[in-house]
Amino acid sequence: MLPFDATARLVMPEPISVNNLYSNVKGRGRVTTKKYADWKGRAERMLSFQSPLPRFTGPVEITYFVGEKGVGGMDAGNVEKAATDALAAAGVIKDDSRKWLRSVQIIWTPGMRGTVAVIEPAGPSPLATHIVASVRQSGLLEV
């Protein structure tokens, strides 16, 4: 998609905690868990049902609306990684480096199971001088 293209909304499975993505196996190092492999397969199938998928060619911002059903005590910091990697694997976004993924927001959604990813072209980043000027103890930051 080009920077002026519309926002995309994609349905994804309920999140998997980043704590469940990999395990350490003696002699092999970090390996994908069966739970994560299963989640990736579910995410791939769900995304394939929504073909043709959008293809963002520039930097994006993503908001994840995450259903509170079926996630136990998961915190927001554990939600994003697998979902973003699935979007990159499907070719929706370039990758999750800061060059291409400029911001991520998690919004918990009561009464819903699963995730809706809202992807849109990134707007301009704020200027460091504006951020520093807005902080009362700005001497603690470098520009």
Side-chain angles (χ1 to χ4, degrees):
M1 296 181 81
L2 297 173
F4 50 83
D5 285 333
T7 298
R9 289 171 175 77
L10 297 171
V11 178
M12 301 182 75
E14 66 278 356
I16 179 172
S17 173
V18 71
N19 298 323
N20 295 318
L21 304 184
Y22 301 98
S23 62
N24 294 320
V25 175
K26 190 172 182 170
R28 291 180 50 200
R30 305 229 352 116
V31 297
T32 300
T33 63
K34 178 172 179 359
K35 189 172 183 175
Y36 186 29
D38 292 345
W39 185 94
K40 285 200 268 188
R42 258 188 5 260
E44 184 179 323
R45 284 188 300 280
M46 287 182 86
L47 290 170
S48 72
F49 294 147
Q50 300 169 77
S51 283
L53 291 172
R55 306 266 185 228
F56 286 86
T57 58
V60 299
E61 298 174 347
I62 302 175
T63 300
Y64 290 107
F65 291 91
V66 182
E68 290 182 337
K69 288 185 174 183
V71 295
M74 183 183 296
D75 61 55
N78 284 333
V79 167
E80 171 272 328
K81 182 63 178 158
T84 302
D85 285 349
L87 292 174
V92 174
I93 63 172
K94 292 277 190 180
D95 66 46
D96 63 351
S97 70
R98 69 175 178 252
K99 178 179 179 181
W100 301 108
L101 181 58
R102 299 303 293 166
S103 72
V104 176
Q105 182 178 16
I106 308 299
I107 299 177
W108 290 108
T109 309
M112 185 176 89
R113 180 182 298 275
T115 303
V116 175
V118 178
I119 308 125
E120 55 193 343
S125 295
L127 297 175
T129 53
H130 293 154
I131 300 300
V132 171
S134 73
V135 179
R136 193 171 65 202
Q137 299 297 329
S138 61
L140 299 173
L141 295 173
E142 292 181 27
V143 180

